[in-house]
Amino acid sequence: MVKSYLKFEPSKSFGVVATSSSNLVWTSSKDKSGTGAGQAIVAANNEVLTWDIKKGELLNRWKDENCKAQVTAIAQSKTDPDVFAVGYEDGSIRLWDSKISTTIVSFNGHKSAITILAFDKSGVRLASGAKDTDVIVWDLVAEVGQYKLRGHKDQITGLRFIEPEPQIPEGGDDEEQAMVLDNEATEGFLLTTGKDALIKLWDLSSRHCIETHVAQNSGECWALGVSPDLSGCVTAGNDGEMRVWALDVAGLASSARKVDLSQAINFLHDRGTLHRSSKERAVEVIFHPRRDYFAVHGVEKSVEIWRIRNEAEIKKSLARKRRRRRELAAKKGKKEADAEEEDDKADDISKADISDVFVQHVIVRTTGKVRSVAWALSQGTKDLQLLVGGTNNLLETYTIVGKDKLKSKGDAPDYNKALAVELPGHRTDIRALSISSDDKMLASAANGSLKIWNIKTNTCIRTFECGYALCCSFLPGDKVVVVGTKEGELQLYDVASASLLESVNAHEGHAIWSLQVHPDGKSVVSGGADKTAKFWDFKIVQEQVLGTSRTTPKLKLVQSKILKVSDDILSLRFSPDAKLLAVALLDSTVKVFFVDSLKLYLNLYGHKLPVLSMDISYDNKLIVTSSADKNIRIWGLDFGDCHKALFGHQDSILQVAFVPHNSDGNGHHFFSASKDRTIKYWDADKFEQIQRIDGHHGEIWAIAVAHSGQFLISASHDKSIRVWEETDEQIFLEEEREKEIEELYESTLTTSLEQDPDAEDENREVGAASKQTVETLMAGERIAEALELGMADLNAIKEWEEAKQQNPNVAPPQRNVLFMALGNISAEQHVMNVLQKIKASALHDALLVLPFATVPMLFTFLNIFAMRSMNIPLTCRILFFMLKTHHKQIVASKTMRAMLDGIRTNLRGALKRQKDEMGYNVAALKVVGMQLQHKSVKDYVDEKWEEENEENKAVKKRAFVQVS
């Protein structure tokens, strides 16, 4: 019989506040219970989290089960604050409704990670920029990609819709004036910057680039900030350089409706260069939505706040400069007239030097390196508030005093840290995990902090400050945790009282790489870089309370014996029967000693690089070792023979751990975790890989298996702690192999489909926003299958009807089993059902899969759809797309021409019927509205109704209070 295993599935993920893969968004609290500080929408690997900034509470978690890629960009819609666009590393974009935490639409058009997203003013279009150098404009109503803009030669770093209010020029000679399109609504403009140091202005109506400038002198442009009134923008790059650009919005608005512009006009004007105090490359430039400030930061531990001066201040600054110039002129004996001429030039505000307009307000020093910032618009405070997301898994809010609040002229603006979300995660990578004996608590140790978690609720119960922790373990009773540090200290922490009990300098300043509690629970062994393994007994010592005669019991570590070896100890393990101690050395060998006499029992040679971790099975028969040479070796503990060497992972294997009780009960299944971001589940008897577990986005530093064997916990460089639970689902090894091969095939298949387009198409500035994925290929195959079945059915019925005219008693034909199973539906209904099930965003790509031979079949059904008025919007969309795609072949075919005539007649008839119906309904609704108004009950669509209702409720409540 084929052996089956039980599958481990992801169940929980915690420990992340915010990851540094994406920007963050601040939004006000929507419900009444929310605090005034608002909410932060942040990326957490492949999820998006909503934090209440004041309470430090997780309000929401947006997670798509099918998406494993990291979040790389977030944007909020300007018109509907509940709608957020989220871009991912694999080039996909999802639109989330924050109220219900579900995806509304998903798009897939980019070949690589999304870098920036922007909504337009009306919220019906979304522009996305990615590392693949393309900008795609998406129509959110039709749920399709409209077009792809090519022009940048490196990743897109900034993106903003510029939608000025339309202005129609008045007067002027007809001959001089360009032709104006009156009835057309313009689509606006798009401003983009790329790492290629270019800033481009695109006209979205004609879909081409109307202006290109070099944005940075120092080589790369990394950020774009546009002022809220669209009058200008700031680009930032390397070496602390920022360029200020004036944007002629009025000129753009008036040119938007012109077709022929006789002379080239520049709408972007370089106003000058500013220099930040830091020389790091910039990451973001964010303008305050309501006040004249903007924040700019790089990857250092500070955010610079710049202020835009008002006219009076600029004039004052210019007057000061003029006075200085006159004094200099008087010294040099210049003529008065020359000096005055220069003064007049200098007095013009529009020509003022850019350093007179923009001044640095304050530099905010942050706890960690900054990844993203957002302005918080909290009610009740007139100070500026800045939300900062760090690369160290932290959110902070800073309150900055504005210029108007400074008491005297010489006062320096001040700032202070108001709030922080830091408890639910470590600042640095977790290096060790330990699970309590009842499987209810988890200890996680990192550089500087030790945290105790409740596994069931995922909440952090205790946080301790510690050294650079490398290993940790719960002591028997689960009340005390012991931590081994890089500084060579063993630290004991009491979970109940949240205090440090004792710190012992165990290895004289050498790192403690491993420690393990003796199976009898009375002692602990620590192995370090000083080439010794030290045994420590737990002793309860009565210690005198200072200033009294009372004593209190205190736990102490007392060294009992020492084992000296020839090299640094990287890992050590007791056998469960406590007879043997295995020690892994830096010289790539493993030595096994008897615990009682510390005599050498076995030498295990074989690994080419040092062994980083090992574990002994619960029946004391096997020892498994994992090494930096990417191999896992399984050894017998009776003779020290190597049973098998397995090439386990694509990178160093950092930890292995046996499962206490697997389905056979012999405990010979184990997990391995590696720097290649995967965990693998192995059978040590059959030397087979049972399952590969993906999910982490960084190297996996530590794993811990529950004492019950029902779940596994892993901690990674991506700051997340993940729980993987054993399910009742069975795994068969053959099926797993097939699944892996299929995944590999699918990934290579889609990349081979994404071949470079024709040279002619590649050089064009605008292209189709399409991308073939496995989903679109499957959809295309389903359409082709449905068309073939449908045509066969139509032909069979047609033959039967012809035969019926000769012989009325002829039996109806035998239809395909599928139609019968679906409730004896017609062929056209089946084809329509298949087409309707395909997502709007994937439909065009699915239709591209169809060979031209199937187009006549498709048009046959489109004709039937038009005749029977079946889903006219979808019919029109498919028809127009196919006509555009296969225009040359369709025009060249005589049979198709007749078919198109029929479709046109039927479609026009169907559209006219629908138009009449809608007109009739609109007229009827107007009549009903007039009747309602006449009876003066309420307006038919009454917008103030809800507000009035709330006011009435409030009045009622007050009345009730007075009565009481």
Side-chain angles (χ1 to χ4, degrees), residues 496-524:
S497 66
S499 60
L500 172 66
L501 293 176
E502 192 188 10
S503 181
V504 181
N505 187 359
H507 287 259
E508 285 89 40
H510 294 87
I512 299 173
W513 290 110
S514 184
L515 61 82
Q516 202 195 3
V517 177
H518 192 285
D520 68 3
K522 291 175 184 169
S523 64
V524 64

Side-chain angles (χ1 to χ4, degrees), residues 836-907:
Q836 277 175 333
K837 277 177 190 162
I838 297 165
K839 278 195 293 191
S841 53
L843 182 64
H844 285 180
D845 290 326
L847 291 169
L848 285 174
V849 175
L850 299 178
F852 184 70
T854 58
V855 173
M857 293 195 239
L858 182 62
F859 276 45
T860 308
F861 281 102
L862 289 177
N863 193 15
I864 299 170
F865 297 156
M867 211 188 299
R868 310 223 168 132
S869 297
M870 292 166 75
N871 198 340
I872 293 297
L874 182 65
T875 306
C876 292
R877 198 177 145 196
I878 294 169
L879 176 67
F880 298 149
F881 179 74
M882 294 311 278
L883 284 173
K884 208 190 306 180
T885 310
H886 301 291
H887 182 253
K888 287 176 186 170
Q889 295 98 314
I890 290 170
V891 170
S893 163
K894 284 183 181 176
T895 50
M896 295 291 286
R897 210 171 296 167
M899 198 182 275
L900 281 173
D901 275 341
I903 293 176
R904 186 175 62 181
T905 315
N906 289 330
L907 204 53

Side-chain angles (χ1 to χ4, degrees), residues 667-739:
H668 283 189
H669 294 176
F670 67 93
F671 286 99
S672 64
S674 163
K675 273 189 178 179
D676 69 1
R677 307 176 178 193
T678 61
I679 299 170
K680 289 188 178 177
Y681 186 25
W682 305 86
D683 184 338
D685 294 328
K686 294 197 164 190
F687 318 124
E688 290 268 19
Q689 179 190 319
I690 302 167
Q691 188 188 354
R692 191 183 81 197
I693 302 172
D694 295 305
H696 278 292
H697 298 277
E699 54 261 33
I700 299 159
W701 287 112
I703 54 173
V705 182
H707 297 277
S708 63
Q710 287 174 348
F711 63 87
L712 162 84
I713 298 180
S714 58
S716 160
H717 172 66
D718 65 16
K719 303 285 191 292
S720 68
I721 302 171
R722 292 174 189 257
V723 184
W724 315 86
E725 282 187 359
E726 191 178 46
T727 58
D728 295 333
E729 192 184 334
Q730 290 189 325
I731 291 180
F732 296 97
L733 299 184
E734 283 298 311
E735 280 180 20
E736 284 295 299
R737 298 292 158 277
E738 278 171 25
K739 208 182 285 177

Side-chain angles (χ1 to χ4, degrees), residues 643-655:
H643 289 185
K644 189 76 174 173
L646 302 162
F647 178 71
H649 290 265
Q650 302 301 319
D651 210 331
S652 301
I653 302 165
L654 297 171
Q655 202 159 355

Side-chain angles (χ1 to χ4, degrees), residues 365-421:
R365 304 282 174 199
T366 56
T367 317
K369 287 182 179 175
V370 183
R371 167 56 184 92
S372 178
V373 299
W375 291 103
L377 308 173
S378 305
Q379 297 102 5
T381 174
K382 290 195 175 163
D383 289 331
L384 299 163
Q385 290 205 309
L386 190 71
L387 173 68
V388 178
T391 55
N392 60 344
N393 201 23
L394 181 68
L395 288 175
E396 296 173 310
T397 306
Y398 289 90
T399 304
I400 301 151
V401 178
K403 174 78 170 72
D404 46 355
K405 281 285 196 75
L406 297 179
K407 293 187 174 67
S408 67
K409 209 175 184 182
D411 273 8
D414 196 15
Y415 67 90
N416 66 309
K417 187 162 118 179
L419 303 160
V421 182

Side-chain angles (χ1 to χ4, degrees), residues 50 57 135 200 443 509 632 826 902 919 936:
T50 308
E57 202 176 277
V135 174
K200 285 176 173 280
I632 295 167
S826 63
S936 72

